[in-house]
């Protein structure tokens, strides 16, 4: 009897693992032919058929006939993640709270940016996010399932419970934001550092695809953060605080940072300084990118000087990242991506001239591919993680 119980348990464990593998593949790679799943997993056709049927019954994938093909033989059905299964994403910043609805197919259905006009407290941000989600509930009724909320926070977030230990620009410290948002909305909430989530999103769906070792650096209204992928795995540190490149030293004669140190990267490279030379009070990443492009094309001397100054300090930080992590790729998001695009050859030249030659020789620096959706997709991945790990769990 004990032997039979063990065998049954092992078979169930294998089945659950295989369900997770198949769902993860169609989630990350998009619609796949059933034959491709058979080839990639090494499982036989009948096993893949049974796994797909179970995922269809669970409402997690859809199966459809393929497009017309000239190939000989019966075409293989196509399996796709069901976009009606959604996660909510929340990103609090110094000037707005953004809420998104993201499907299991990695499609951003909605993104609502709610300007605050001031730096919101944690309680205010939770209330704003809850109100926006309430406004989205008529749309959410069309979803077959809402798995929960992922939060991208511009600061240090304790991995185990979502407490924001420190978000300097938001002026938050020891804030149980995830718990407050869960209480306000009734959904399970998981929170993590925004740049770490952005790194994962770009690795899975954007400019970081195929790179096992990359550094993602994001610049926004709330400063500069970074996420590091090493050997295909996020580098989190013992408590989830790793990757704070925004607080690395780039100017020993600089000014004091929110964190208390002198000359941090984000004191020298900032969205606020760019907005000031452009004569803008505020702008989302896309608006800022367009404004910078227009000003540089027009030869505005103040803008050109500020862009060159910021690229110089950014190169110092990226040199350090290159020497320490030896990445294959550095991906720049937010206004940092816009800076890089203004002169795509300038930053690689600056980094290569300063970094160890062996580390820099194979390095690629590129702009993030997911644009304004990046933190929505990254935060949603956080909420989808339990489902992807155990699709058949209740």
């Amino acid at each position: 009897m004990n032997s039979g119980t063990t065998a049954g348990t092992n078979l169930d464990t294998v089945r659950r693992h295989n369900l997770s593998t198949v769902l993860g593949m169609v989630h990350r790679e998009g619609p796949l032919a059933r034959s491709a799943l058979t080839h990639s997993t090494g499982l036989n056709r009948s096993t893949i058929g049974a796994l797909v049927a179970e995922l269809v019954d669970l409402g997690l994938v859809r199966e459809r006939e393929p497009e017309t093909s000239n190939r000989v033989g019966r075409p293989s059905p196509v399996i796709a993640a069901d976009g009606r299964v959604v996660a909510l994403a929340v990103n609090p910043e110094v000037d707005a709270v953004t809420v998104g609805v993201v499907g299991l197919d990695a499609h951003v259905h909605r993104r609502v940016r709610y300007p605050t006009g001031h730096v919101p407290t944690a309680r205010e941000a939770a209330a704003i996010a809850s109100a926006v989600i309430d406004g989205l509930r008529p749309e959410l009724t069309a979803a077959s399932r809402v798995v929960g909320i992922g939060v991208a926070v511009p600061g240090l977030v304790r991995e185990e419970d979502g407490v924001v230990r420190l978000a300097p620009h938001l002026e938050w410290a020891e804030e149980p934001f995830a718990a407050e948002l869960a209480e306000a909305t009734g959904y399970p909430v998981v929170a993590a550092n925004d740049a770490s989530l952005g790194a994962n999103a770009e690795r899975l769906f954007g400019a970081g695809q195929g790179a096992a070792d990359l550094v993602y650096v994001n610049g926004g209204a709330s400063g500069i953060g970074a996420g590091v992928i090493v050997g295909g795995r996020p580098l989190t540190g013992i408590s989830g605080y790793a990757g704070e490149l925004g607080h690395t030293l780039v100017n020993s004669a600089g000014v004091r940072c929110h964190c208390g140190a002198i000359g941090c990267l984000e004191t020298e490279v900032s969205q606020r300084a760019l907005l000031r030379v452009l004569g803008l009070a505020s702008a989302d990443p896309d608006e800022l990118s367009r404004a910078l492009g227009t000003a540089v094309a027009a030869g505005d001397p103040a803008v050109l000087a500020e862009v060159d100054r910021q690229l110089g300090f950014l190169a110092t930080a990226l040199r350090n990242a290159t020497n320490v992590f030896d990445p294959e790729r550095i991906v720049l998001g937010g206004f940092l991506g816009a800076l890089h695009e203004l002169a795509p050859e300038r930053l690689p030249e600056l980094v290569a001239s300063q970094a160890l030659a062996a580390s820099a020789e194979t390095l690629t620096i590129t702009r993030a591919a997911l644009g304004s959706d990046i933190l929505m997709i990254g935060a949603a991945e956080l909420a989808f993680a339990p489902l992807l790990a155990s699709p058949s769990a209740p």
Side-chain angles (χ1 to χ4, degrees):
M1 180 179 293
N2 288 341
S3 176
T5 301
T6 301
T9 300
N10 288 342
L11 288 173
D12 188 55
T13 298
V14 170
R15 179 188 61 82
R16 286 186 276 114
H17 170 77
N18 289 338
L19 281 173
S20 174
T21 298
V22 171
L23 182 60
M25 287 179 66
V26 296
H27 168 65
R28 292 187 302 271
E29 300 177 34
L32 292 171
R34 193 190 288 188
S35 58
L37 290 170
T38 301
H39 176 75
S40 296
T41 61
L43 300 171
N44 61 47
R45 287 184 296 174
S46 61
T47 299
I48 287 294
L51 292 169
V52 168
E54 185 170 354
L55 290 170
V56 169
D57 288 342
L58 290 167
L60 300 177
V61 304
R62 290 178 166 184
E63 189 172 21
R64 68 171 188 260
E65 291 302 313
E67 302 294 334
T68 303
S69 172
N70 293 324
R71 294 180 62 182
V72 176
R74 183 180 177 184
S76 180
V78 173
I79 316 303
D82 194 330
R84 296 174 301 169
V85 178
V86 303
L88 297 167
V90 174
N91 173 221
E93 289 197 282
V94 297
D95 56 354
V97 176
T98 302
V99 177
V101 181
V102 185
L104 187 58
D105 56 358
H107 174 69
V108 179
H109 297 300
R110 282 290 304 275
R111 187 176 73 246
V112 179
R113 186 175 186 271
Y114 187 96
T116 57
H118 64 280
V119 178
T121 65
R123 188 176 296 275
E124 286 175 327
I128 290 168
S130 177
V132 172
I133 290 169
D134 282 341
L136 293 172
R137 286 190 191 273
E139 296 180 37
L140 295 177
T141 59
S144 61
R145 182 174 178 182
V146 180
V147 300
I149 302 173
V151 183
V153 180
L156 303 179
V157 183
R158 190 161 59 208
E159 192 172 15
E160 63 192 53
D161 57 9
V163 169
V164 181
R165 299 298 308 278
L166 178 65
H169 291 272
L170 290 174
E171 300 173 8
W172 296 3
E174 305 299 334
E175 292 286 356
F177 184 71
E180 289 182 0
L181 189 56
E183 182 178 357
T185 62
Y187 291 117
V189 179
V190 190
N193 173 261
D194 59 350
S196 295
L197 296 179
N200 192 46
E202 285 291 331
R203 176 179 70 92
L204 294 175
F205 306 109
Q209 284 181 302
D213 294 87
L214 70 90
V215 175
Y216 168 75
V217 192
N218 182 68
S222 298
I224 294 176
V228 182
I229 307 292
V230 177
R233 294 178 176 273
L235 179 68
T236 60
I238 192 169
S239 300
Y241 308 148
E244 286 294 329
L245 290 181
H247 295 286
T248 54
L249 177 66
V250 297
N251 185 3
S252 58
V255 299
R256 189 169 298 279
C257 178
H258 282 77
C259 73
I262 297 291
C264 290
L265 173 64
E266 65 178 42
T267 65
E268 300 292 348
V269 178
S270 74
Q271 179 171 298
R272 182 180 301 174
L274 292 171
L275 291 172
R276 185 169 58 248
V277 294
L278 289 167
L280 299 175
S282 64
D284 67 25
D286 295 334
E287 292 168 342
L288 178 59
S289 182
R290 288 192 295 270
L292 279 172
T294 299
V296 168
D300 186 311
V303 173
L304 288 171
E306 181 61 20
V307 166
D308 188 64
R309 188 190 72 81
Q310 292 205 20
L311 284 174
F313 284 115
L314 179 59
T316 298
L318 298 187
R319 171 201 69 189
N320 295 336
T322 300
N323 289 345
V324 172
F325 300 114
D326 186 26
E328 173 185 348
R329 207 169 301 171
I330 293 177
V331 180
L332 302 175
F335 78 85
L336 299 182
L339 277 176
H340 175 51
E341 284 297 302
L342 294 171
E345 73 292 336
R346 176 71 172 147
L347 196 56
E349 288 174 354
L350 287 171
V351 174
S353 70
Q354 300 178 50
L356 293 171
S359 298
E361 63 186 2
T362 59
L363 175 67
T364 299
I365 300 176
T366 186
R367 187 176 189 175
L370 299 177
S372 300
D373 288 337
I374 185 170
L375 293 184
M376 298 294 97
I377 293 173
E381 280 300 295
L382 200 60
F384 281 132
L387 174 66
L388 292 168
S390 186
S392 59

